Amino acid sequence: MEKLTVREFDPQGKRVLMRVDFNVPIEDGKVKDDSRIRASLPTIRYLLDHGASVVLMSHLGRPKGKVVESFRLRPVAQWLSALLRMPVPITGDPLGVGTRDAVARLKPGQVMMLENLRFHPEEEANEDGYAKTLASYGDVYVNDAFGTAHRAHASTVGVTRYLPAYAGLLMEAEINALSNLLEQVKHPFAAVIGGAKVSGKIGVLNHLMDKVDTFVVGGGMANTFLVAKGHTVGKSLLERELVEEARQILDKAEKSGVQFILPTDVVVAKEVTRGAEHKIVPVTKIPNSWSAVDIGPASTEAFKAALDPAQTVFWNGPLGVFEVPTFGDGTRAIARHLADKAENGTTVVIGGGDSVAAVEELGLTGKMTHISTGGGASLEFMEGRTLPGISVLLDKPGEPVAEVAQVVATKPAMAKVRPTKKPTPTMKPTPTKKAPAKKPTQAKKAVAKKPAPAKKAAPVKKPVVKKTVSVKKAVVKKPVATKRPVAKRPVAKKAAPVKKAPVKKPVASKKAAARKPVAKRPVVKKAPARKSVPARKPVAKKRVSRKPAATKPVAKKAVPAKKPASKKIAARKR
Ligand code: ADP
Ligand code: MG
């Protein structure tokens, strides 16, 4: 990966502002599926174990710029508190004096959360003042929210105007898994594309056309292709206006020698509802008043056979209306087949919210090579698009490029949220090797202008990075279309908060702690030796005094010890 990660700065004593994707389903005040929360744990633990304090921020749902009680992140903070076995206080608002004070009180090894970022319209508008206030909560910014990396919001893009920006471990894993598919893939490479509509997948089909050996296409979108081939599809979901486009895609595949496998038989139903009358018919005989809701058994076998030689498979989109169990046979059969293949060494990557849900329901997530936590983001990535939240992260330095280096060296330090005395070594030029003739990418500019991490904290060490020349270019080719940072005068600390909102009492110390005894103070293990955290040199021994771990363990039931096999199981356990 060509982006700097959390491993490339020294977290000791730093306050890290970390964007996570905690947009998880919540029902009756409880987290229904915590996979996104668990996915962020390696980065959070890494930072805490290495002496940082962590201010987490996320959105939840679509509150459209207003406070919506059902979109409060409190249940997430409680869940995280149980997972981390330490208090995770949450503020009542992302802004306000109370929030600022809570951030200021945070000590190394402690973690807190901001309330739902989208309670303010400024988040999605990527408003500069909002971004600046958020940035004032940290010395360093880490983005681990791959799921929102396709959105240029204040917390994904705006903050990087003010803080040095690094990728979290999840972000890194996502970028690596997906960019491998686009750049270093092992052939034969097959893409299974399904889902409701062609319109949502045209970008992926076109971008993968010269990369895959085989397309396997099912789901509602297959109908438009079937019509392009001269069939009729009855009442099935069809995008008539895209039939011509579908025909062109079929032509392109034929000309490029790409296998394009469509269903030969389908399950048709009188209604697309549970319990509806249904039968299997060949695609040449779809009755006028019926809808195709799943691939048929002959298609399932043909799909499996087409996937057999594949060394790499990317799957996006269910092959039928799998939410109705009777119409989920094709999806389940292909999921199992891919899980078997993955166990036998094939690289299998699943992207897309519904496809991932289907795999989770079957308890097969652990078998796949990579399950993307980003729905829209993974799709946009596979379309070859630049994701704004990724392109603004700091680039790994490559070979120095004289021209760029000079520009960087002569730039004045830009506006800081809190003034610092001198620029830290982090701000040193990190020119990349790529295309010296090209304009510097925004990331490079951002490097040039980034303020030194404010405050008295020990200066950020210069990233200890080898001169990596990554072959992965798809991720960040273009600068993001966001406002360029303009050098401003440092803003006084007090200018930041916009709204008042007293910080609520720490979640964990309220309900959670009432239920289960949790250590009053975070417990930070001295020897970070977690599997997910790559080995690194030991951190400085200087530690803020911490209380020993609570003698009583956190109630075991609070959190499933292992990742639940499926959402349903997780729900039952709760
Ligand atoms: P993903 O979230 O994995 O990218 P999509 O959102 O594109 O997948 O598509 C998932 C939806 O497609 C599901 O809600 C499923 O019911 C629907 N779908 C699949 N096959 C059909 C079909 N034959 N007719 C109508 N809808 C379908
Ligand atoms: Mg979907």
Side-chain angles (χ1 to χ4, degrees):
M1 193 180 73
E2 46 180 36
K3 294 296 175 182
L4 292 180
T5 75
V6 280
R7 287 188 298 271
E8 282 135 355
F9 70 88
D10 183 0
Q12 183 67 44
K14 300 274 186 324
R15 188 165 294 150
V16 177
L17 179 70
M18 178 169 159
R19 179 56 156 104
V20 283
D21 183 2
F22 285 170
N23 185 28
V24 296
I26 293 178
E27 262 175 50
D28 303 328
K30 288 208 176 106
V31 173
K32 293 291 286 181
D33 175 7
D34 70 347
S35 35
R36 283 184 168 173
I37 304 176
R38 285 176 185 273
S40 71
L41 291 178
T43 311
I44 298 173
R45 284 185 175 136
Y46 174 89
L47 290 168
L48 295 176
D49 286 349
H50 288 77
S53 55
V54 179
V55 179
L56 297 170
M57 56 176 178
S58 177
H59 76 281
L60 175 65
R62 292 183 177 157
K64 303 211 168 103
K66 289 195 295 275
V67 175
V68 177
E69 290 302 320
S70 58
F71 288 135
R72 285 203 179 274
L73 278 163
R74 176 173 291 262
V76 174
Q78 285 175 331
W79 192 271
L80 179 67
S81 170
L83 284 171
L84 288 172
R85 300 181 177 216
M86 64 169 67
V88 182
I90 179 162
T91 65
D93 188 309
L95 305 177
V97 180
T99 297
R100 202 185 51 189
D101 290 348
V103 170
R105 284 195 302 271
L106 204 65
K107 300 206 169 60
Q110 293 183 334
V111 58
M112 63 172 279
M113 261 176 78
L114 304 182
E115 183 51 279
N116 194 340
L117 294 167
R118 291 194 189 166
F119 281 176
H120 295 275
E122 293 88 346
E123 160 64 359
E124 291 184 80
N126 190 10
E127 197 264 327
D128 191 53
Y130 189 64
K132 189 185 280 186
T133 303
L134 295 177
S136 73
Y137 303 148
D139 308 315
V140 176
Y141 168 76
V142 169
N143 192 349
D144 218 16
F146 177 74
T148 34
H150 58 316
R151 305 277 181 236
H153 294 166
S155 66
T156 57
V157 167
V159 289
T160 67
R161 293 175 203 143
Y162 302 104
L163 292 176
Y166 297 84
L169 301 173
L170 170 64
M171 177 70 88
E172 181 188 32
E174 292 272 15
I175 294 173
N176 282 343
L178 297 180
S179 56
N180 277 346
L181 294 180
L182 297 177
E183 291 153 34
Q184 299 181 321
V185 76
K186 246 206 241 165
H187 288 272
F189 176 22
V192 182
I193 311 287
K197 294 183 169 182
V198 187
S199 46
K201 311 283 161 109
I202 282 178
V204 173
L205 287 168
N206 281 325
H207 192 65
L208 293 183
M209 183 62 77
D210 60 352
K211 301 186 176 9
V212 300
D213 304 287
T214 303
F215 276 121
V216 172
V217 173
M221 62 175 287
N223 302 328
T224 306
F225 285 98
L226 291 173
V227 170
K229 289 185 84 171
H231 301 296
T232 55
V233 293
K235 275 203 309 179
S236 308
L237 185 69
L238 170 70
E239 288 167 284
R240 202 165 285 287
E241 68 287 1
L242 290 176
V243 170
E244 186 44 42
E245 179 114 24
R247 199 172 286 133
Q248 286 168 14
I249 291 175
L250 289 171
D251 280 353
K252 236 193 273 178
E254 196 175 340
K255 285 195 189 109
S256 343
V258 173
Q259 246 191 324
F260 203 100
I261 314 279
L262 283 165
T264 51
D265 64 344
V266 283
V267 177
V268 288
K270 278 219 160 153
E271 301 294 331
V272 190
T273 49
R274 197 179 280 257
E277 193 185 333
H278 60 279
K279 59 186 179 184
I280 296 156
V281 296
V283 291
T284 48
K285 291 193 176 133
I286 299 177
N288 276 343
S289 55
W290 296 58
S291 304
V293 289
D294 195 5
I295 54 171
S299 308
T300 303
E301 288 314 308
F303 281 19
K304 286 203 238 169
L307 292 170
D308 260 341
Q311 290 289 306
T312 310
V313 181
F314 170 65
W315 181 16
N316 173 272
L319 303 171
V321 184
F322 77 106
E323 298 92 335
V324 177
T326 329
F327 309 146
D329 285 351
T331 303
R332 287 191 291 267
I334 297 303
R336 288 198 190 98
H337 188 65
L338 292 181
D340 287 347
K341 280 185 72 63
E343 285 201 311
N344 287 309
T346 303
T347 300
V348 179
V349 178
I350 320 275
D354 292 290
S355 327
V356 170
V359 171
E360 278 177 354
E361 243 176 59
L362 292 169
L364 297 175
T365 37
K367 298 193 173 174
M368 306 298 183
T369 315
H370 181 77
I371 300 262
S372 180
T373 51
S378 58
L379 210 61
E380 286 197 18
F381 197 105
M382 293 304 287
E383 287 171 8
R385 284 158 73 168
T386 303
L387 307 195
I390 296 176
S391 60
V392 292
L393 301 177
L394 292 171
D395 282 320
K396 277 184 181 169
E399 293 297 312
V401 178
E403 185 200 335
V404 179
Q406 203 192 344
V407 173
V408 173
T410 53
K411 285 265 190 237
M414 79 175 293
K416 299 167 189 95
V417 179
R418 281 161 296 183
T420 46
K421 281 179 186 125
K422 55 179 181 184
T424 70
T426 329
M427 297 302 114
K428 281 197 177 169
T430 52
T432 60
K433 190 183 185 179
K434 253 201 310 175
K438 272 195 234 162
K439 279 203 292 185
T441 62
Q442 174 165 346
K444 282 172 201 156
K445 287 190 178 180
V447 171
K449 295 176 179 181
K450 288 247 161 82
K455 296 189 318 190
K456 71 272 170 187
V460 183
K461 271 189 203 153
K462 187 178 178 183
V464 267
V465 197
K466 296 143 236 142
K467 281 179 183 168
T468 316
V469 182
S470 172
V471 282
K472 299 180 190 90
K473 287 174 196 146
V475 188
V476 253
K477 276 178 187 160
K478 284 180 211 156
V480 185
T482 50
K483 269 190 269 168
R484 287 267 179 248
V486 182
K488 289 172 196 163
R489 294 178 74 97
V491 179
K493 246 189 193 179
K494 278 179 185 162
V498 183
K499 285 185 189 172
K500 276 185 207 166
V503 177
K504 289 201 178 152
K505 273 202 179 159
V507 174
S509 61
K510 252 175 128 188
K511 278 189 200 161
R515 273 188 283 115
K516 31 190 155 54
V518 178
K520 288 243 166 58
R521 289 282 203 95
V523 180
V524 179
K525 287 193 180 146
K526 277 197 174 159
R530 290 174 208 281
K531 248 206 318 192
S532 52
V533 177
R536 77 191 287 289
K537 55 176 194 260
V539 196
K541 283 183 185 98
K542 232 197 303 165
R543 287 280 164 110
V544 174
S545 67
R546 277 172 218 127
K547 285 195 176 162
T551 41
K552 284 191 194 171
V554 175
K556 291 257 160 46
K557 270 188 191 164
V559 178
K562 277 185 191 160
K563 187 170 179 167
S566 76
K567 276 200 282 184
K568 279 185 185 158
I569 294 170
R572 259 184 265 128
K573 277 193 181 165
R574 300 291 302 160

